[in-house]
Every structure is written in C-alpha cells, then in structure tokens.
Amino acid sequence: MRRIVIAGSTGSIGTQAVDVVQRSPELEVVGLAAASNAELLLEQTRALGVKRIALADEAAAARASEAWTDGQVLAGTEGLVELIVESGADLVLNALTGSAGLGPTVATLGEGIDLALANKESLVVGGELVMALAEATGAQVIPVDSEHSALYQLVGGEAPGTVDRLVLTASGGPFRGRSADQLEDVTVEQALAHPTWEMGGRVTVDSATLFNKGLEVIEAHHLFGTPYDQIDVVVHPQSIVHGLVHLNDGASLAHLGHPDMRVPISYALHHPERADVAVGTLDLAKVGTLDFEAPDENAFPCLRLAREAAQAGGTAPCVLNAADEVAVHAFLDGELPFTGIPRVIEDTLRALPARPLRHFSDLYEADAEARRHAAGAAV
Ligand SMILES: NC(=O)c1ccc[n+]([C@@H]2O[C@H](COP(=O)([O-])OP(=O)(O)OC[C@H]3O[C@@H](n4cnc5c(N)ncnc54)[C@H](OP(=O)(O)O)[C@@H]3O)[C@@H](O)[C@H]2O)c1
C-alpha cells in the first residue's frame, strides 16, 4: 500500500486523482486538503475513509469541523503544512494552483517525502531551491503535467549526455491562428473554452495566452537540468503527442496518448509501477492527422516574456508568475482585457528587475511586491 496525501483534491487535477485512487487497490489516502470547498472535501473524506483534512480558509475549516466529527480538520496555510508533515505519507500530490503551492512542496520535500507535482508554480517560482532541497533529502519529484510526465518517461530510459533537445507540445488554445488585433475583444467565456483539455480557470486562461507553455519551459529546465536554449515549444492542436526528445544519434522519441490527465496522474501516483487506467487505446488511423506549427510569439507575447524572465533568473520567474496570477484574476473578473494580461506582466517585470535568490523568504517578498505592482498595473 502506498500512503498518499492529495493537496488540492477538490480541483480539476485533485478530483481526477481521487478517481484514480478509487480504482487502485495499491493507494491509500491519508490526508486531503483544499482552500474553501468544504462540502466537496467532506464528501471525498467520507468516500475515502480519511481521518485528517485541511482547509486553507479558516471559515470553511470551521464549517467542516461542525459538519464532520469523525476526524480532525486543520485550518489555514499552516494547517496544510501540518497535515503533510505529520501524515506519514509515502507520497504527496500537490495539485494546488498558483504560488500557494510552494509551501506544501517545501514541506513535502523537507520531510523527504516523494512529491507528485502538478503545481508547476513551485518550480517556476523556486526551482533551484526546490530541486536542491529534493536532492538534499533524497525525495523524488515526479511530474504530473502531461508534457513533463511524457518527457520524464522518455528521458528516464536514456544514458546521461544522450538527450540533445526537449520539445514541449502546446495545443495553441482556443485562439490559435488569431492575430494580435483579433485578440483585442475576446471574452472570458471564449478563453475558458479550451479545445482539448478540461482544467481549472487559471491554467485554462494561461493556455489561451500561451503563458502556461512559458511556465512549462521553466518547469522542464528545473526538472531535467536542461539549458533553456535546448527546450523547444511546438504547437500541436490535437494534443496527442505530449512530448518529444531529440537524441545525439539523430533519433527522436515521442510520447503519445489521448489528452486525459488521469494517465499522467496515475503514472505519478504509481511510479515506478504502472496501473490500469480506463482510457481507450489510441487509434492513429482514427486520429488521422497530427499537425504541428511554430508558436506565434507576436500574437501571444507571454511565451517570450516567460523565456526572458527565465533567462534573467533570480526573482524574475517569481515576479513573472505573480504578475500573471493577478492579471488572470483581473481578466476573469472582467476588469482587464485579454490583451492586458501580457501588458501587466511586462510592466511588472520591467518595474521589478531580477534580484539574486538566497533563501525561500526572498521569494515570498518578491511574490508580494509583484502582486502589489501588478494590481496597480491591472486597473
Ligand atoms: N487541470 C489540469 O488539467 C492541469 C494540467 C496540468 C497541470 N495543471 C496544474 O495543476 C495545478 C492545479 O490545477 P487545477 O486545474 O487542478 O486547479 P483548480 O481546478 O483551480 O484546483 C485548485 C485546487 O487547489 C485548492 N487550493 C487553491 N489554493 C489553495 C490554498 N491556498 N491552500 C489549499 N488549497 C488550495 C483548491 O481548493 P478549492 O476548491 O477549495 O478552491 C482546489 O482544490 C496548477 O498548477 C496547474 O497549472 C493542471
């Protein structure tokens, strides 16, 4: 039996992880956590027989304590860290959204617990420190993002020094093929209508701006230790090829599959074993055509901005992420146009140049400063 904690169990990745766990006799959930959705969290708690849960929102935690007396409800950001540290888990799935995921990542790796990582922001914001912590405690970081899961599986079988380049595929989102002018007045509803993946709000908007792919380039750099100029992005609207590696002997290996997040989630939860997932076998004759094209960085400047912040290093990727979180929320609240998202990010990056990073506390400071600046730029 592998004992796991699911942090962010009420979200898109979290609910799919619960589905994977319910079909797997090898997995036992020993802790669940969410921000404020106490009702769904309690439903999952009862279904899985969990005895300890955490809710970041204090009022939601109080509601849950009243409604459920068969176990313990922890509250606040510290509650989630306590849940992880005292869980005795073999693996924590971090499926939080945004830079709020950094604390649970640090708590997990600090305890030497293996981490199934969906929260890419942990690596974007604090990649160097996070990977150094994993190395120091011997904990593994197993990616959940479909592209990184693909690359992890492809790179894992190769001898060191044989992988020349990594390629991340991007669906291109709902606005693929549009010019910058044609993006001026797109609506929230259109941005949330992703053609191939069903995901949480922020990551869906990030996919529409291609910002998400920028985050993924940074994530891949830290996970695989690959220099930025050896990580490519190609737009592939069918989302069948998830990742590709070019090897030193001229061979290229690709990872294919239906776009279904339960596949990489199951891989991360069972690693190094594999388990059955109820997803159909890929029928290439039925798929017919696979298309690929270069990303349009004029219409979608977020990818370029992410690469610039990545190259600048230090606090820049943290500032980049915080600015985007603020801008995306403003867009979702109808306060900022779609094309305002890259404008706010660029403005914030220019105002807060990269500073060196020595400690996790430098990140919390940079994150707060960037949020303040971006909130001003978003009005
Ligand atoms: N969705 C996908 O298909 C997909 C694919 C690849 C990678 N990812 C990555 O996976 C992560 C999660 O994405 P998602 O789409 O699953 O997001 P989501 O649907 O918005 O779910 C986020 C989850 O995190 C919880 N949460 C948020 N802030 C929290 C906090 N401060 N403390 C405790 N819990 C908190 C939420 O609880 P409440 O429900 O109570 O708010 C919810 O359970 C993101 O980093 C995303 O980029 C997602």
Side-chain angles (χ1 to χ4, degrees), residues 148 233 245 258 271 275 338 350 369:
H148 302 74
V233 171
V245 293
H258 288 295
H271 176 78
F338 185 76
R350 300 282 171 266
E369 200 181 353

Side-chain angles (χ1 to χ4, degrees), residues 76-245:
T77 312
E78 318 73 43
L80 173 50
V81 169
E82 198 180 325
L83 180 80
I84 290 169
V85 168
E86 294 174 358
S87 63
D90 303 302
L91 181 88
V92 172
L93 169 62
N94 184 345
L96 263 59
T97 185
S99 58
L102 181 63
T105 284
V106 173
T108 302
L109 297 175
E111 288 301 305
I113 303 172
D114 289 343
L115 176 68
L117 187 64
N119 179 260
K120 63 193 82 177
E121 294 88 345
S122 295
L123 286 178
V124 170
V125 169
E128 272 158 43
L129 299 178
V130 166
M131 294 311 284
L133 182 60
E135 181 140 3
T137 61
Q140 294 188 76
V141 181
I142 307 145
V144 170
D145 233 337
S146 57
E147 296 80 358
H148 302 74
S149 175
L151 293 174
Y152 190 82
Q153 294 171 56
L154 292 169
V155 169
E158 298 305 323
T162 55
V163 175
D164 279 349
R165 304 190 73 78
L166 305 180
V167 184
L168 295 161
T169 55
S171 71
F175 307 130
R176 184 176 62 86
R178 293 203 191 192
S179 66
D181 289 348
Q182 291 170 325
L183 292 172
E184 283 296 340
D185 38 45
V186 300
T187 64
V188 170
E189 202 186 13
Q190 289 169 326
L192 289 177
H194 196 279
T196 47
W197 296 100
E198 256 188 53
M199 310 178 284
R202 183 195 174 209
V203 61
T204 306
V205 175
D206 282 346
S207 297
T209 60
L210 285 198
F211 184 82
N212 183 51
K213 216 43 62 177
L215 294 185
E216 291 183 2
V217 168
I218 302 175
E219 183 184 8
H221 165 77
H222 291 296
L223 276 172
F224 305 111
T226 309
Y228 284 114
D229 59 3
Q230 288 169 237
I231 306 174
D232 301 324
V233 171
V234 66
V235 173
H236 165 47
Q238 292 86 4
S239 300
I240 295 291
V241 177
H242 303 302
L244 185 83
V245 293

